[in-house]
């Protein structure tokens, strides 16, 4: 394994690397779907300016240049715990310069930053990898990262705007909505053990700031043969992806699972969004929810990105 040394990034190095970083992030984000390159570039610029207002000296951020025998071979950006979760550091970006690739430097850089985080007492590290980056995904798996969540999507261009279905979407009362949301928060805590109840509550409610009256978001019960068998929540605009709808929640009650109601409910949602001119539909699937992942794959939802995490050794 090559000996890589991480040193604090200088202002000159950050200035030189910032524009290519923003451009590359925008390209892969746009390729994943739901936004144009121009929209992705604007988003990348906003997020970079917000996260790194003081460049390599921004509070809560670690920017390191990777060197081997004095030569600059790449760099890494990691957010300290707090921005994305208690006890969770996050690799925002990592790059091995092109002429130094295929030498094991990517693995060496990650192992070096892990050692720094362990020394600081950080218990967990996470990252995002885009769906078509198989080389990076295999590296992260080899280093012990596990899938926590996936984002998948499919185009709606060929979806009929009217479907015959064994289920229908009915209205939901406020009391039922509150009960369903409480169950949603509890399931998020179970699916994502590193989340606190407060963090799970914030994530569950984020797309629903006005509850049932939230604009461009539909919430309804899934009804089959006059029985309420589950519920669904979906929006006409995905977070940060204006050209994509988003399936925020689909839950079929345990007594009614295995009857095809989940598939049928997704098809009804797709038809509704297609009739509104929405071009594609995205969904987030918890890494441990194998049933939801199989359903998404069976319905043709391809991988856009996935988040992976690992425990770090206790100091």
């Amino acid at each position: 394994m090559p000996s890589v040394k991480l040193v604090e990034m200088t202002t000159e190095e950050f200035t030189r690397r910032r524009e290519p970083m923003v451009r590359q992030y925008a390209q892969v984000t746009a390729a994943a779907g739901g936004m144009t390159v121009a929209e992705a570039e604007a988003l990348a610029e906003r997020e970079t300016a917000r996260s790194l207002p003081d460049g390599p000296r921004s509070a809560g951020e670690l920017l390191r240049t990777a060197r081997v025998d004095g030569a600059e071979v790449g760099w890494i950006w990691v957010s300290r715990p707090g921005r994305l979760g208690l006890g969770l550091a996050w690799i925002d970006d990592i790059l091995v310069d092109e002429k130094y690739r295929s030498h094991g430097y990517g693995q060496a850089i990650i192992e070096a930053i892990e050692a720094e985080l362990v020394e600081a007492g950080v218990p967990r590290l996470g990252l995002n990898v885009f769906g078509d980056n198989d080389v990076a995904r295999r590296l992260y798996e080899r280093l012990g990262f596990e899938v926590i969540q996936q984002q998948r999507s499919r185009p709606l261009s060929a979806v009929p705007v009217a479907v015959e279905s064994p289920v229908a979407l009915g209205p939901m009362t406020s009391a039922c909505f509150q009960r369903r949301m409480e169950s949603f928060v509890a399931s998020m805590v179970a699916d994502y053990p590193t989340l606190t109840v407060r963090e799970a509550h914030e994530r569950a409610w984020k797309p629903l700031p006005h509850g049932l009256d939230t604009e461009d978001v539909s919430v309804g019960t899934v009804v089959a043969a006059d029985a309420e068998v589950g519920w669904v929540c979906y929006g006409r605009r995905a977070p940060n992806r204006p050209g994509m709808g988003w399936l925020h929640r689909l839950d079929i009650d345990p007594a009614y699972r295995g009857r095809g109601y989940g598939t049928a409910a997704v098809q009804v949602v797709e038809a509704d969004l297609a009739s509104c001119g929405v071009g594609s539909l995205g969904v987030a699937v918890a890494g441990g929810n194998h049933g939801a992942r199989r359903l998404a794959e069976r319905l043709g939802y391809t991988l856009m990105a996935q988040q992976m995490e690992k425990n770090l050794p206790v100091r």
Side-chain angles (χ1 to χ4, degrees):
M1 182 60 62
S3 178
V4 169
K5 181 179 181 180
L6 298 184
V7 298
E8 289 190 14
M9 181 177 287
T10 67
T11 299
E12 182 277 327
E13 289 167 344
F14 175 74
T15 301
R16 170 164 42 87
R17 291 192 177 274
R18 187 185 189 282
E19 183 179 347
M21 175 190 71
V22 170
R23 184 170 60 249
Q24 174 64 19
Y25 179 77
Q27 289 172 350
V28 295
T29 301
M35 63 173 61
T36 65
V37 172
E39 290 169 335
E41 287 178 346
L43 173 64
E45 180 60 42
R46 289 196 304 271
E47 290 187 346
T48 302
R50 175 178 55 81
S51 301
L52 299 171
D54 298 314
R57 304 296 176 262
S58 299
E61 310 298 326
L62 302 174
L63 285 92
R64 301 289 185 259
T65 295
R67 296 185 178 276
V68 176
D69 296 330
E72 184 178 334
V73 302
W75 71 290
I76 188 169
W77 166 21
V78 174
S79 294
R80 290 190 178 97
R83 180 157 67 87
L84 293 174
L86 296 175
L88 176 67
W90 195 263
I91 298 177
D92 290 274
D93 207 344
I94 177 174
L95 177 73
V96 176
D97 294 329
E98 188 170 358
K99 68 178 181 178
Y100 294 107
R101 292 173 189 171
S102 301
H103 291 80
Y105 293 150
Q107 178 173 339
I109 290 171
I110 292 175
E111 290 176 341
I113 200 67
E114 286 180 357
E116 182 175 343
L117 294 170
V118 168
E119 185 67 21
V122 176
R124 196 162 174 85
L125 177 62
L127 53 84
N128 179 81
V129 57
F130 285 94
D132 60 351
N133 196 342
D134 293 332
V135 173
R137 177 182 52 78
R138 288 193 293 268
L139 169 62
Y140 302 143
E141 290 173 350
R142 191 164 65 246
L143 289 171
F145 287 86
E146 298 179 344
V147 177
I148 300 301
Q149 186 182 80
Q150 291 184 338
Q151 288 79 43
R152 291 177 170 270
S153 69
R154 66 165 295 197
L156 300 180
S157 54
V159 170
V161 296
V163 294
E164 293 186 8
S165 176
V167 305
L169 302 186
M172 182 178 289
T173 66
S174 296
C176 180
F177 175 63
Q178 291 294 329
R179 186 172 67 252
R180 292 286 191 182
M181 289 300 291
E182 290 173 4
S183 176
F184 185 14
V185 171
S187 69
M188 288 189 70
V189 173
D191 286 338
Y192 306 101
T194 59
L195 281 184
T196 65
V197 173
R198 178 178 179 179
E199 290 169 338
H201 185 275
E202 290 175 352
R203 291 193 187 187
W205 281 91
K206 187 174 183 179
L208 292 159
H210 304 293
L212 291 172
D213 296 323
T214 301
E215 187 177 0
D216 287 335
V217 175
S218 298
V219 179
T221 57
V222 180
V223 180
D226 297 326
E228 182 179 317
V229 302
W231 74 293
V232 66
C233 173
Y234 60 99
R236 290 166 180 77
R237 289 171 59 91
N240 292 329
R241 294 184 182 274
M244 179 181 292
W246 199 261
L247 183 59
H248 297 292
R249 182 67 175 170
L250 170 62
D251 190 21
I252 302 300
D253 297 332
Y256 296 99
R257 292 173 187 169
R259 305 185 190 186
Y261 294 148
T263 297
V266 172
Q267 292 170 339
V268 170
V269 169
E270 290 175 343
D272 180 38
L273 292 176
S275 70
C276 298
V278 177
S280 59
L281 177 61
V283 61
V285 181
N289 194 337
H290 302 297
R293 187 188 299 192
R294 287 193 295 270
L295 173 62
E297 291 173 347
R298 189 169 66 249
L299 292 176
Y301 284 75
T302 58
L303 184 63
M304 294 193 298
Q306 63 185 19
Q307 291 71 54
M308 307 177 74
E309 297 179 14
K310 67 178 290 187
N311 290 322
L312 298 177
V314 178
R315 181 183 172 187

